[in-house]
Amino acid sequence: MNSKLKQLVDHALHHSPFYRELYRSLPDQGWTLSDLPLADPADYWRGSQTLRSWPVLSAPLQDGHVFKTGGSTSEGKLSVFSRAEWQAFVQAFGRGIARQLKAGDRVANLFFAGDLYTSLLFIHGALSHAPLPVVEFPFTCNVDDAALADAIAQHRINALAGVPAQLLRFAHHLTGKNTTLDEVDTVLYGGESLFGEQIALLKQAFPQARIASVGCASVDAGLIGYADPGCRHGEHRVFDGDSLVEIIDEASGETIEETGRSGLLVLTNLQRRLMPVIRYPTGDLACWREPPGPGRKFALQGRAGNGHRIRVGTLSLFPQQLAPLLERHAELLAWQLVIERRQGMDCLGLLLASRRQLDCAALRQDVLAAQHAIAALCAAGQLQLEVSQTSPEQMHTHPRSGKLMRVVDRRDYQPEEAQP
């Protein structure tokens, strides 16, 4: 029995109403990790918007940090860390990000800030705690492209860290001016996956750069994995001692140990007690790349078809946020989201099955009016939204369970070879 896990479960059982109910049938002794029921994300986040009476919390929030996960400020779920937990979070991630850097690197932090987003603050904290000397330039994602190019030359910046959308915008600016930045030797991306045509554009703008993951974490679950130079795109290694990563079969709940078999990535965070995260389905599909061992490598393989948070462009979307709008239409039999890549951008398709003919154009406008973040990405040319009618028989179901998949992710997540 992992002593950290035992202490975490005991704490959650005695102090968190959510886990007290979830573990009401758990024996005092003799249980293992796989005996613990999975946390249902819909139940887990219910009541998180106010924090005052959120059953997940194990104590009142009196000292710490509040961040947002998914949705707008009014709709999004709120994720909290005690001050000590936040420090542990960024320190561990800093040890991971250091594997992608070298002493003396000068790093432009191009992640998001404001509106309770955590990414810029998180990467800032990780770089501040990296176990090697680096210099950080926290520009945020809103820096002007021309100003950033000038700053890179002026301050001898050799590493960029940001979300793909920001990195690609900057690369597009450079290639439009027939400019390359040969001094940039490291480009670290996070928050969403990179695709083949995007990698090609980055290599065109930064021909000397190694393009790699900054690491894998989320504001809701916490630490997921770190990447080292031996990892291909999409591959990460487990943060041993700080988190427990499981890959389980979506239909049977069976724990997967063999390499190459895809399943749902489930996380237990051993750092967090204020907002315990125990056997939490992240919504990611993954497979093991190596047999069990220290720093075991796994590969992310897109989003699972089970209604958890999905990532399209720069947006984190909980599919159930669409449910209140769609439930107004009593004629609907089923609905499903399909994510594809077209012409270098994500395409979000909403498939609807109905007993009568639907006005898909009007429904698309309803979705845009209700989901301002989707509307903004569409207006900026960073996302396509398509609403179409189909039959229930043509919708995608799980190959083993036969259940309707809420999300079908058709984006190509095949990793490239590791770069020198």
Side-chain angles (χ1 to χ4, degrees):
M1 168 68 68
N2 183 311
S3 60
K4 286 187 177 180
L5 175 63
K6 179 67 165 61
Q7 293 170 10
L8 173 62
V9 170
D10 286 346
H11 178 81
L13 184 60
H14 289 94
H15 299 283
S16 166
F18 172 83
Y19 284 102
R20 186 181 304 122
E21 173 63 20
L22 187 63
Y23 297 157
R24 64 186 182 278
S25 301
L26 187 71
D28 292 336
Q29 302 292 333
W31 54 266
T32 64
L33 178 62
S34 60
D35 294 323
L36 301 174
L38 296 183
D40 182 281
D43 292 338
Y44 185 94
W45 292 106
R46 190 171 292 116
S48 74
Q49 291 88 345
T50 63
L51 297 180
R52 288 190 298 273
S53 57
W54 187 19
V56 167
L57 296 184
S58 63
L61 177 61
Q62 297 177 326
D63 176 37
H65 308 275
V66 178
F67 298 105
K68 180 180 67 175
T69 173
S72 65
T73 302
S74 59
E75 299 168 344
K77 286 74 176 170
L78 296 179
S79 183
V80 300
F81 297 78
S82 71
R83 187 186 305 185
E85 289 168 353
W86 179 257
Q87 288 299 313
F89 188 20
V90 297
Q91 286 173 2
F93 201 83
R95 293 190 295 269
I97 200 174
R99 297 172 183 266
Q100 298 283 36
L101 299 171
K102 58 187 180 297
D105 275 346
R106 304 169 74 84
V107 185
N109 184 347
L110 304 175
F111 279 93
F112 280 84
D115 193 22
L116 300 186
Y117 281 107
T118 181
S119 59
L120 182 111
L121 294 174
F122 175 59
I123 296 301
H124 166 75
L127 292 172
S128 300
H129 289 89
L132 78 174
V134 296
V135 178
E136 181 204 9
F137 296 82
F139 286 103
T140 82
C141 65
N142 295 318
V143 61
D144 176 76
D145 292 327
L148 178 58
D150 290 342
I152 288 172
Q154 179 182 354
H155 301 299
R156 296 176 290 113
I157 294 170
N158 69 294
L160 309 179
V163 297
Q166 163 63 8
L167 296 170
L168 292 165
R169 187 192 78 188
F170 184 43
H172 187 266
H173 166 81
L174 295 172
T175 56
K177 294 184 173 298
N178 295 317
T179 299
T180 61
L181 293 182
D182 294 355
E183 59 266 53
V184 174
D185 58 28
T186 303
V187 174
L188 301 179
Y189 64 91
E192 52 184 305
S193 297
L194 274 179
F195 300 91
E197 77 277 5
Q198 297 173 327
I199 294 171
L201 176 58
L202 292 176
K203 287 180 176 178
Q204 183 180 352
F206 314 109
Q208 304 303 317
R210 182 175 63 89
I211 302 168
S213 171
V214 75
C216 184
S218 68
V219 68
D220 45 3
L223 291 169
I224 299 175
Y226 67 88
D228 59 28
C231 290
R232 299 185 293 176
H233 291 294
E235 292 183 342
H236 297 83
R237 295 185 179 276
V238 175
F239 281 97
D240 291 324
D242 293 306
S243 61
L244 300 175
V245 171
E246 299 174 87
I247 298 175
I248 66 170
D249 185 277
E250 283 190 272
S252 68
E254 170 195 0
T255 299
I256 297 173
E257 289 295 347
E258 63 264 40
T259 60
R261 179 180 167 189
S262 182
L264 180 64
L265 192 150
V266 172
L267 187 80
T268 297
N269 191 308
L270 298 174
Q271 296 179 331
R272 301 175 75 173
R273 292 194 171 197
L274 176 60
M275 189 189 107
V277 179
I278 307 172
R279 297 206 82 199
Y280 177 82
T282 64
D284 293 303
L285 291 175
C287 71
W288 294 115
R289 291 293 197 208
E290 298 176 343
R296 191 178 185 186
K297 185 188 290 185
F298 62 93
L300 297 174
Q301 298 182 310
R303 299 300 292 176
N306 53 13
H308 296 289
R309 175 177 56 85
I310 59 174
R311 191 79 178 185
V312 283
T314 59
L315 172 66
S316 285
L317 173 68
F318 286 85
Q320 284 305 115
Q321 290 174 332
L322 298 176
L325 169 65
L326 299 175
E327 287 170 357
R328 299 177 197 164
H329 299 271
E331 69 276 12
L332 284 183
L333 299 174
W335 60 278
Q336 185 174 70
L337 294 174
V338 178
I339 313 171
E340 298 178 298
R341 291 288 294 177
R342 296 180 191 169
Q343 300 177 337
M345 74 175 69
D346 284 347
C347 177
L348 181 62
L350 175 60
L351 302 183
L352 304 173
S354 172
R355 290 189 290 265
R356 63 175 179 79
Q357 188 65 34
L358 297 173
D359 186 343
C360 291
L363 281 167
R364 183 181 184 275
Q365 291 303 314
D366 289 345
V367 171
L368 294 176
Q371 296 290 326
H372 301 298
I374 293 177
L377 286 182
C378 290
Q382 298 174 9
L383 178 69
Q384 298 178 31
L385 173 65
E386 297 180 355
V387 178
S388 57
Q389 186 168 354
T390 186
S391 66
E393 294 78 14
Q394 293 177 304
M395 289 185 166
H396 301 273
T397 57
H398 193 280
R400 278 194 284 271
S401 70
K403 294 180 179 179
L404 180 70
M405 298 172 66
R406 178 63 73 211
V407 178
V408 179
D409 194 340
R410 288 178 168 173
R411 293 172 290 187
D412 183 8
Y413 286 88
Q414 294 299 316
E416 291 195 347
E417 293 300 322
Q419 301 182 36

